[in-house]
């Protein structure tokens, strides 16, 4: 019977893939042409999925149009960077105005200090901050700052954590991580982490943690776990870095405000640049003031595009004119409602499917048990491979239903998403649960 179920999954996936190929000739042609100068036709691994990804021609509000002319509701929200949607008029006007005054000016501009001030006002733990170009860079600079100010070498991160292209701590490891001496601890294991911090204290510069693991599958950190990290770092003089690149959107002051925990440093990115390239790192005055170039012992921090006018202008317009606390709380409430609804649909059918996350960040998992760390949903290689196929089938079925989300089941709501959009997404998920129920039952874990 196992053999038959496997054959079912394989043939169903084959059918879905054949349908996808037939529907998307222009995306396929683009993919093939792109392979000439880019490995696998790809320049950002997460955007690849087999047999080839849809390529976008256009985005408007929360609607994407692909090269073949199909329209999708964008539930991916550019992995959280697309919070404002694709055509917010305030953002577009800000970019146009900045563009009209010239770019690559090679000096301070009128926007950067205002954006910094607005971020510091919203996130008071960033007493001082500096800009960079991505979340990856923000973490590189925050970790390097911690190493410089403590004179210690090691960092502690968590399995399942993702802090950028060179800070990836998935269970499979990464060949290109930054060569910092790194201790890994299990997420949401307060005792284990406290013990690891104590053990390495003499040489430990920083603990870096996402208040909710994003790439790891939208796994919220327990308040008690994060408080225990705060206490252990205090006890041992270790710099606690909250990576809020994704979670800063969960309230006007990020998840740290919701939890009432103040990290020593915070890293930011994504939507805070209004949808353009962006990163920021900051925290305690006594660390960050070392970057004052007028100081005799100043630490230098470079980056040609750190204050690029388009990101600074778009980011400032977004925070000061679009993303009011009310708008943000409505967005997160919509995400909560969607997550509850998806869980209710799975529960009603008794299927091993669950939606995790916080606020406007949602991840659907084909897994029955509680997920508190990535280890919780890992099986043996065979089980993982079957679940991966099920996940691919889900993704292809959602695309066929006009719903765009990440292959891994991740969704980040954007401001232009409506309740009607959520209704259609929920209906598409329910249809998948109805038609693929037996495959889910046998291939989830
Ligand atoms: N930290 C977290 C928590 C992230 O989710 C990401 C991006 N997905 C990064 C850092 C890296 O940001 P960027 O892609 O801008 O380098």
């Amino acid at each position: 019977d196992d053999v038959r179920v496997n054959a079912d999954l394989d043939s169903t996936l084959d059918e879905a893939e054949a349908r996808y190929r037939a529907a998307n000739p222009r995306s396929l042609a683009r993919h093939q042409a792109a392979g000439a100068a880019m490995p696998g036709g790809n320049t950002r691994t997460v955007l690849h999925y087999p047999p080839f990804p849809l390529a976008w021609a256009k985005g408007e509000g929360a609607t994407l149009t692909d090269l073949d002319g199909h329209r999708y509701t964008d539930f991916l929200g550019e992995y959280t960077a697309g919070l404002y949607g694709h055509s917010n008029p305030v953002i577009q006007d800000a970019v146009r105005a900045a563009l009209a005054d010239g770019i690559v000016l090679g000096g301070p501009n009128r926007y950067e200090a205002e954006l910094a001030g607005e971020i510091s006002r919203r996130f008071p733990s960033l007493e001082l901050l500096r800009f960079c170009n991505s979340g990856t860079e923000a973490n590189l600079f925050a970790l390097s700052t911690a190493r410089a100010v403590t004179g210690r070498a090691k960092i502690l991160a968590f399995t399942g954590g993702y802090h950028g292209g060179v800070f990836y701590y998935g269970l499979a490891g990464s060949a290109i991580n930054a060569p910092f001496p790194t201790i890994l601890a299990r997420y949401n294991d307060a005792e284990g982490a406290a013990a690891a911090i104590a053990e390495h204290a003499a040489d430990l510069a920083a603990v870096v943690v996402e208040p909710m693991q994003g790439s790891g599958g939208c796994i919220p950190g327990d308040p008690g776990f994060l408080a225990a990290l705060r206490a252990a770092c205090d006890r041992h003089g270790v710099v606690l870095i909250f990576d809020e690149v994704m979670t800063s959107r969960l309230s006007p002051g990020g998840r740290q405000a919701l939890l009432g925990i103040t990290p020593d440093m915070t890293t930011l990115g994504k939507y805070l640049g209004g949808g353009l390239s962006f990163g920021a790192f900051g925290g305690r005055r006594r660390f960050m003031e070392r970057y004052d170039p007028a100081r005799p012992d100043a630490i230098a921090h470079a980056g040609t595009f750190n204050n690029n006018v388009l990101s600074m202008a778009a980011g400032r317009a977004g925070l000061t004119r679009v993303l009011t606390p009310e708008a943000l709380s409505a967005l997160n409430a919509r995400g909560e409602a969607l997550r509850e609804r998806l869980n209710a649909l799975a529960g009603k059918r008794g299927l091993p499917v669950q939606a995790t996350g916080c606020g406007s960040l949602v991840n659907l998992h084909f897994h029955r048990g509680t997920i508190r760390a990535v280890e919780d949903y890992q099986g043996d290689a065979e089980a993982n491979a079957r679940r991966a196929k099920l996940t691919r089938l889900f993704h292809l079925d959602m695309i066929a239903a006009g719903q765009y989300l990440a292959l891994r089941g991740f969704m980040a709501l954007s401001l232009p998403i409506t309740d009607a959009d959520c209704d259609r997404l929920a209906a598409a998920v329910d249809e998948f649960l109805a038609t693929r129920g037996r495959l889910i039952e046998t291939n989830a874990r």
Side-chain angles (χ1 to χ4, degrees):
D1 204 46
D2 254 18
V3 174
R4 217 187 61 220
V5 166
N6 267 319
D8 275 5
L9 179 60
D10 284 337
S11 64
T12 310
L13 185 57
D14 284 350
E15 272 166 40
E17 235 180 69
R19 182 185 63 197
Y20 178 85
R21 278 180 185 280
N24 296 291
R26 293 213 171 97
S27 281
L28 173 57
R30 188 223 61 97
H31 174 71
Q32 287 166 338
M38 296 190 292
N42 176 267
T43 188
R44 186 175 166 204
T45 302
V46 76
L47 298 188
H48 177 73
Y49 45 87
F52 56 86
L54 294 176
W56 301 120
K58 189 180 161 82
E60 243 184 317
T63 301
L64 288 165
T65 306
D66 70 13
L67 295 185
D68 290 284
H70 313 120
R71 288 157 66 86
Y72 297 85
T73 307
D74 182 7
F75 274 93
L76 178 57
E78 184 51 302
Y79 291 90
T80 74
L83 181 148
Y84 296 111
H86 300 291
S87 52
N88 183 285
V90 174
I91 304 279
Q92 287 184 330
D93 285 350
V95 172
R96 278 195 202 99
L99 192 59
D101 287 337
I103 53 173
V104 285
L105 303 177
N109 57 61
R110 68 175 90 206
Y111 307 113
E112 68 210 54
E114 277 187 42
L115 177 56
E118 184 60 25
I119 291 175
S120 180
R121 200 179 62 72
R122 290 190 179 214
F123 305 86
S125 75
L126 285 91
E127 293 171 332
L128 294 170
L129 65 131
R130 290 177 73 96
F131 295 118
C132 51
N133 298 283
S134 67
T136 303
E137 267 191 36
N139 284 303
L140 187 58
F141 284 121
L143 289 164
S144 298
T145 304
R147 283 161 42 105
V149 299
T150 61
R152 300 173 180 176
K154 293 179 185 165
I155 64 171
L156 186 142
F158 295 90
T159 45
Y162 182 83
H163 306 288
V166 292
F167 301 109
Y168 173 49
Y169 304 109
L171 293 176
S174 164
I176 58 165
N177 271 354
F180 294 133
T182 304
I183 317 299
L184 286 178
R186 187 178 171 122
Y187 197 65
N188 273 331
D189 173 5
E191 277 177 31
I197 292 167
E199 185 191 336
H200 295 277
D203 202 26
L204 187 62
V207 169
V208 61
V209 65
E210 294 160 88
M212 177 205 76
Q213 285 193 334
S215 298
C218 288
I219 306 174
D222 292 341
F225 164 69
L226 295 165
L229 297 183
R230 177 66 283 175
C233 286
D234 281 341
R235 191 170 316 125
H236 297 288
V238 175
V239 177
L240 179 63
I241 303 172
F242 272 12
D243 178 345
E244 295 234 46
V245 168
M246 275 200 179
T247 56
S248 65
R249 61 153 59 197
L250 295 176
S251 89
R255 187 139 200 253
Q256 56 191 260
L258 295 174
L259 295 166
I261 299 174
T262 306
D264 300 304
M265 297 192 72
T266 299
T267 53
L268 301 170
K270 305 281 195 194
Y271 72 93
L272 284 165
L276 288 86
S277 304
F278 180 83
F281 64 102
R284 289 191 186 282
R285 180 174 297 276
R286 71 169 190 275
F287 300 157
M288 291 304 295
E289 68 189 2
R290 291 287 304 279
Y291 286 102
D292 175 353
R295 281 170 68 115
D297 65 343
I299 305 173
H301 160 233
T304 301
F305 294 112
N306 287 353
N307 66 334
N308 80 81
V309 294
L310 298 184
S311 296
M312 297 295 110
R316 183 192 68 153
L319 279 194
T320 57
R321 296 176 50 208
V322 183
L323 198 58
T324 59
E326 297 71 36
L328 197 51
S329 100
L331 179 74
N332 285 308
R334 183 167 280 135
E336 283 300 341
L338 179 62
R339 180 171 31 259
E340 280 167 21
R341 191 160 168 194
L342 296 177
N343 279 325
L345 292 174
K348 195 183 68 192
R349 295 183 189 276
L351 287 169
V353 177
Q354 62 181 298
T356 60
C358 297
S360 54
L361 307 174
V362 183
N363 206 124
L364 205 71
H365 293 273
F366 295 102
H367 180 82
R368 195 183 292 279
T370 306
I371 300 174
R372 302 184 68 252
V374 285
E375 289 87 344
D376 291 339
Y377 62 80
Q378 287 307 306
D380 58 30
E382 204 267 340
N384 287 343
R386 282 203 286 149
R387 195 197 27 212
K389 286 182 189 171
L390 181 62
T391 302
R392 281 177 54 195
L393 179 64
F394 172 66
H395 189 239
L396 289 170
D397 277 5
M398 293 301 280
I399 286 175
Q403 309 295 329
Y404 184 62
L405 41 75
L407 173 61
R408 66 172 185 256
F410 174 73
M411 293 167 251
L413 269 54
S414 58
L415 294 177
I417 294 255
T418 63
D419 286 338
D421 292 327
C422 292
D423 290 348
R424 283 187 287 268
L425 178 96
V429 171
D430 198 37
E431 173 74 12
F432 180 82
L433 301 181
T435 56
R436 311 297 197 190
R438 204 173 70 90
L439 289 175
I440 298 169
E441 194 63 68
T442 44
N443 292 292
R445 61 166 300 285

